[in-house]
Structures are given as structure tokens and as C-alpha cells.
Amino acid sequence: MFVQGHRLATMRQWPENRIAFGGDYNPEQWPREVWADDLRLMAEAGVSFVTLGVFSWSWLEPSKGEYTFDWLDDIMDLLGEHGIAVDLATATATPPPWLTSAYPEILPVDREGHTLWPGSRQSWCPSSPLYREFALALTDRLASRYHDHPALAMWHVSNEYACHNLPCYCDTCAVAFRRWLEQRHGTLDALNDAWGTAFWSQRYTSWDDILPPRITTTFSNPTHVLDYSRFGSDTLLDFYRSEYEVIRRHSPTVPITTNFMTMSQFRLLDYHDWAPHQDVVSTDHYVVNSLEHPQAELSFHGDLTRGLAGGRPWMLMEHSTSAVNWQPVNPAKVPGGTILDSLAHVARGADTLGFFQWRQSRSGSEKFHSALVPHAGEDSDRFREVCELGAIADRLGEVLGSRVDADVAVLWDYEALWAMSGPCMPSSAIDYATAGHTIHRLLRDRGVTCDVVHPSADLSRYRVVVVPTLYLVSDEDAASIAAAAAAGAHVVVTYFSGISDANDHVRLGGYPGAFRDLLGVRVEEFFPLREQEGVALSDGGTGSQWSEDATATDAQVVTTYANGPLAGRPAVTRRDVDAGVAWYLGTLPDDASLGSLLDTVLRESGVESVVRTSPGVEVVRRRSDSGSWLFVLNHTDDACQVTASGHDLVSSTDVGPTLHLSPRTAAVVREG
């Protein structure tokens, strides 16, 4: 396991020479006689680590200032005796009932002013100094007690920050927001300028007049809303760092992390800001069955997590063996799905496979959430598949520390996402992620691996840079993107990019604002498309999501609109830029048209497939100084074959020159 920035010399007690395998363990939810059975089954499944104590505050501190650690001492000792590493949580994700009863002022408040009462989880205000006081006291007790325990391998701060309690609009947050605004803007004049408060008589003359963007008569000020998103992310990051510092005082050499949620539905924290404060980047990811392309979304967010980790290996802290409990319909995974999804994460850079949770709960809100040990017990196909995955994780040890090579960057920016999701946009039917996910999926279908990185990342190493719906962009990042094109990259910019600056002020002079000169295109008006509405293109394809009245001022027109009010106007353009090329998509072409365009971009830029493949068959290569490993994942219901030679670590067989895979199976081929 790589430790971020090499700040820590070793991962003490962390599983070596294998992909770490395990997940959340909640022994406090079970009678003690079950613990021995847990340890037996963990050995059978090949579990090498567990995350312990995530939701145990009410057991650790059953009343104010009264701490009981006997049960945790016992299970820590037992896990250590059985060679299972512990990722020990600070248990501060959810307060015990006594705390919220005694101090109801720590409860969060929604936008309409309703208090969100206890009875589930994360029932606390992110800005509450009182809650922080109690959380840090518990963290200090845990760190002082367990910092040198032989089973301790990692610290796990809180859990899934902002999953349920952000944004909060209470009076405590109002006070904290004002302090944050003073630090960001300095003066009221600067704030009024940034927020454009000359509009609708919103000019502020006192910091005390500023409130969170609560429910109001009509649309809120977009920059006010954007700054509140920034404030929420920064507030929780500061809370995380306060726990980190408490742990580090007692435990200077044990890595510390918190589990991100890099998946499409979770957008409340700017993980680009959070990642540098993790000793190891870890994340949770769950397949969302309602998405049109759920496996492609999994791949995208694996690449995003690797980007957050600076290209280094990362930890999958949670995913599911089968069904979850929180979607409208929760189907079980097909046979082999547990292994296939897990290896898709390893292909994208995960060196740890964690699940929620070890034993499926009998009661509570997550009783129908799948687990490593299902309700059916060890005599079940799912547990047998879990044991098979544990054996595979052991054989994949040689992959540890290897990296994923990519010649393509797809840019992803949470601030652009927040701004584009704000009030009063040209269309509520377009989503920030759509263009990026679509292009990433089509490249994945062509066997091309992408890094998903922030616009401020070093773009000099990429042959292709995709800029999807980067609505908000700073001058510096826009200049970096232009420099990548000038240096030889093919830069592909999509509709609704470059429109606003960092304050969400429109860049005047014609769209696409920051990229107008780079692209040689000037847009006067947007013509967003309704849901299910399409526009014919001159190449025979169809555009969706968006269209616009564009003029090619210094660009070659590749495709035009073929019907409607924009017939004959540019839809896709290209401009040679010094050593590179700048492409512009004023609409989202269908898969065939967009795929054909991407084929041209790949051919001209010299980007090659990892191996030739077909849609639904995922191929990724991980590489180190000692060798390379080809991951081949067949997500389809049909058998497939790809060119590959070497030793397959999944089946423990030699393969080549052609690898044959059954439906919904995977191979990891040590090449050479």
C-alpha cells in the first residue's frame, strides 16, 4: 500500500504481498459467541483487514464522560492474534442519543428551517463547536489507548462525511459562514463585487446581515449558493483535520484516512481539496442500477479516485457484494458480479478491496444491504464467491504498487459542478457529468484508459485532454488548457464550457468565453434541447442535450446542424493550434457520431488502445518496474476474446496468444 507523499515509512501490520481484502466489521451488533465464528469464517474467506468501530460511539461512551473500552480491547486482541489488520475508526460519524438529547443545538437544520432530528445517522451540524468538542475528546481517548496496539494498521476518521448532514442552514452555520466569507473575500466591497449584489438590491453593508441561502421567495443569488457549497466542503475538511491532528499527536507513524464517496450521486465535497490531507486516499463506491451505464460509471469514478491519489494506488474502503438497501429497486448481483466489480476497481488502481460489511445485519435500516457473510450464511453461493475473491486477492499480490498508464485526461472540477447545478441556468435538463461520462465510456469501449483529473493538474504528459462542460473555469486553468493544445495535445472542449469565472460571473464578448480564442468559435445564443429532443447533424447522426448559434471565426467546421432553427450552423469544429488541435462540440452527438470523432482524435494524436476490444469488454494495464498486468473484464452476457499472452492470476492458468473469457468473468494476465 502506497502512503501518500511518503510521510510515513511503513504501513505497520498492513497485509503484505496481497491485495488487502475485508471490510467494515461491527462486532458490537452481535452476541460475543458469534465472534469466534466470525474469526473462523474470516480465515476461510481470506480476510486480511477490517474497519472497526465506525458506528460505535454509543458503546464507547454510553453516557457523558463515561468510557467503556473492554469490548473493543477484546476484539482488537482477537483480531491481532488472528493476523487481521485493523483500520480503527474514531466513531465520530454519528452521535449517541444522550448527546443529541442533552445538546439539541448540535442538530442540523434543512433549507426550510426544519430541525433534522436524531433517529438515523449523522445527526449533527458540521459547524457545531460543541459537537467538535465531544468528537475530539473521544478521538483523543481512542488514539491514546490504541496507538501502539499490535493490530492497529490505520486510522479511519469519521465516515462518509456529508452523506446526510450537508448542507446545514442553522444559525451556527450562519455565524461560521460569515467568518468563512471574511477570510475568503476580506471586505464587504469585495464580497458585494463577487456576488454581484447590485442585482435585486442585495448589497450588504454588514457581515451580520448575511445568512445561508435558505428558502426564499424565488431564486437565490447563484454566487451566494456557490460560496455556500465551498463553505460546507471547507468546514468539514477543517473538522477532519482537527481529528487528524489529535490522532497524529498520539500515533505519529500510523496512516490516517477517511472514506470519500467518489460516485455520481455524491457531489457535496471538493475531494481535490481533501486528497492532500489523506495519508492514503480511500473511497466508497456502489453500483447504481438506475444509471444507463452503471459499469462505465464505476470505471469513471475509479479513474477519478486514482486522479485524486495523484496516480498512485488507492483503497476501495467500501463496496457491496450484492444488493444495497437504498435504491428504489435493489437487485442482487449476478453470479460472478462480486468478483467482476472488485477487479474493475483493482484495474483502475485499487490496492485494497473493502466491503460494507462483514456480516449482514439482522435489524436496522441496512438489514437488506448485502455483506461478505449473507443472511443465508456460509452455505451460500455468495459466500463461496467471497472466498474465491479472497483467494484471487492473495494471488494478485504481485500487482501491489503498480500504476495505471493513461495518455488521455478527462477534466473534473467540483466547483464547476456546483456552479452548473446552481439556480437559473439555461437548462435544468443537462447534468455536469453527462458529457464527461459519455466520452469516457466511449474511450473505455475502445480500450483507451483515461486519467480523471482537476483542471489545475499538469496536463503536459497527455496527448488528449477532454474538457467536458467546464462551465466555471479560472483564468489560470483556461491558460493551462490552451497551453496543452499549443504543446501538441488534442483538446476536446464540449458545450457549456468556459462560460463563467471563479465568481460565476459570465465572461462577456460571446461564448464559450474562456475558450473562445482557443477554439476559434463564437457563440451568441444557447438553444438547449429538451429531454428526449434531438437535432439532426450533417454527418447523419443526432445531437442531444444542447445546441447553440455558433460562428466559426477561426476554425474548420466539421459538422453542422441539419435541421431546425440552426440548420447550417457549426455543431462540431476543429482548429489547429501550434503543435496541437482544439476541437469543439456544441452538442452531444450520439454514440456512433461521437465515437467516429473520437476515433479521429485518437488516430491523429497517436493514442492507442491497450488492446483492441469491443463495447462492454474493459481492458486496463497496470505497470511497474518489474512487469505489467493486463486486466480484461467481460461485462457482457456473451463470451469474448482478446489478444493476450501470459499467466492469468484469476484462473491460475497460462493463456495466449488469445484469451477467451466467458460472460461476466475477468482475467488478470501477467504479461511476458
Side-chain angles (χ1 to χ4, degrees), residues 196-240:
T197 58
F199 184 80
W200 278 357
S201 188
Q202 292 177 346
R203 181 172 175 268
Y204 292 96
T205 55
S206 169
W207 293 105
D208 291 339
D209 294 336
I210 301 173
L211 296 171
R214 295 167 175 161
I215 197 76
T216 185
T217 53
T218 185
F219 303 110
S220 296
N221 181 317
T223 312
H224 185 177
V225 174
L226 174 60
D227 265 357
Y228 206 67
S229 295
R230 291 166 169 153
F231 157 74
S233 181
D234 287 353
T235 297
L236 282 176
L237 174 57
D238 184 69
F239 198 164
Y240 161 80

Side-chain angles (χ1 to χ4, degrees), residues 102-304:
Y103 305 98
E105 61 268 33
I106 73 172
L107 293 170
V109 174
D110 70 12
R111 190 164 181 250
E112 297 182 359
H114 302 134
T115 297
L116 302 180
W117 297 102
S120 55
R121 66 178 192 172
Q122 281 195 355
S123 50
W124 51 277
C125 162
S127 301
S128 171
L130 185 59
Y131 185 77
R132 184 179 297 207
E133 177 185 336
F134 280 100
L136 295 183
L138 176 61
T139 300
D140 184 72
R141 287 289 189 125
L142 285 164
S144 63
R145 188 177 187 90
Y146 296 105
H147 67 93
D148 60 353
H149 193 285
L152 178 68
M154 184 179 295
W155 288 102
H156 184 110
V157 177
S158 192
N159 184 71
E160 294 183 340
Y161 277 104
C163 188
H164 307 290
N165 62 344
L166 194 74
C168 172
Y169 297 90
C170 72
D171 289 340
T172 302
C173 282
V175 173
F177 184 43
R178 294 173 196 131
R179 289 197 301 266
W180 182 91
L181 289 170
E182 285 195 73
Q183 293 174 353
R184 179 176 178 84
H185 297 286
T187 66
L188 280 170
D189 285 344
L191 177 136
N192 282 310
D193 181 65
W195 285 15
T197 58
F199 184 80
W200 278 357
S201 188
Q202 292 177 346
R203 181 172 175 268
Y204 292 96
T205 55
S206 169
W207 293 105
D208 291 339
D209 294 336
I210 301 173
L211 296 171
R214 295 167 175 161
I215 197 76
T216 185
T217 53
T218 185
F219 303 110
S220 296
N221 181 317
T223 312
H224 185 177
V225 174
L226 174 60
D227 265 357
Y228 206 67
S229 295
R230 291 166 169 153
F231 157 74
S233 181
D234 287 353
T235 297
L236 282 176
L237 174 57
D238 184 69
F239 198 164
Y240 161 80
R241 292 179 64 186
S242 68
E243 288 200 45
Y244 183 105
E245 290 163 4
V246 168
I247 295 169
R248 187 54 72 227
R249 288 200 299 269
H250 295 286
S251 192
T253 62
V254 178
I256 303 171
T257 191
T258 191
N259 45 336
F260 294 169
M261 296 175 67
T262 49
M263 50 195 295
S264 292
Q265 287 65 34
F266 190 80
R267 304 176 170 198
L268 295 174
L269 301 180
D270 188 341
Y271 289 133
H272 293 108
D273 286 343
W274 283 63
H277 303 284
Q278 314 301 308
D279 294 329
V280 182
V281 168
S282 66
T283 195
D284 299 349
H285 186 277
Y286 292 95
V287 175
V288 180
N289 297 297
S290 60
L291 295 175
E292 184 177 1
H293 303 283
Q295 297 301 327
E297 190 269 352
L298 184 157
S299 301
F300 181 96
H301 288 277
D303 288 344
L304 171 60

Side-chain angles (χ1 to χ4, degrees), residues 393-474:
D394 188 39
R395 296 196 292 272
L396 288 179
E398 62 189 71
V399 177
L400 283 177
S402 61
R403 297 170 71 118
V404 178
D405 294 331
D407 290 325
V408 179
V410 177
L411 304 189
W412 182 269
D413 182 12
Y414 287 99
E415 291 204 355
L417 184 159
W418 294 337
M420 188 172 160
S421 304
C424 305
M425 301 305 274
S427 172
S428 60
I430 64 167
D431 181 73
Y432 174 77
T434 300
H437 280 187
T438 300
I439 293 173
H440 183 278
R441 171 174 55 82
L442 293 174
L443 291 171
R444 170 183 177 267
D445 286 345
R446 284 158 171 75
V448 173
T449 307
C450 304
D451 287 341
V452 180
V453 297
H454 190 266
S456 64
D458 179 7
L459 303 178
S460 62
R461 62 176 296 268
Y462 298 106
R463 296 185 180 187
V464 175
V465 177
V466 180
V467 187
T469 51
L470 192 63
Y471 163 77
L472 177 149
V473 62
S474 68

Side-chain angles (χ1 to χ4, degrees), residues 297-363:
E297 190 269 352
L298 184 157
S299 301
F300 181 96
H301 288 277
D303 288 344
L304 171 60
T305 307
R306 189 178 69 254
L308 294 169
R312 294 175 286 269
W314 47 276
M315 297 179 65
L316 179 64
M317 190 67 78
E318 288 184 26
H319 69 312
S320 65
T321 57
S322 190
V324 296
N325 66 299
W326 43 266
Q327 297 181 40
V329 178
N330 297 290
K333 292 185 179 181
V334 299
T338 304
I339 293 173
L340 189 62
D341 287 352
S342 297
L343 294 183
H345 288 291
V346 178
R348 302 282 165 179
D351 273 3
T352 295
L353 288 173
F355 291 84
F356 182 84
Q357 58 178 320
W358 163 248
R359 185 180 287 274
Q360 191 169 7
S361 298
R362 293 183 61 192
S363 60

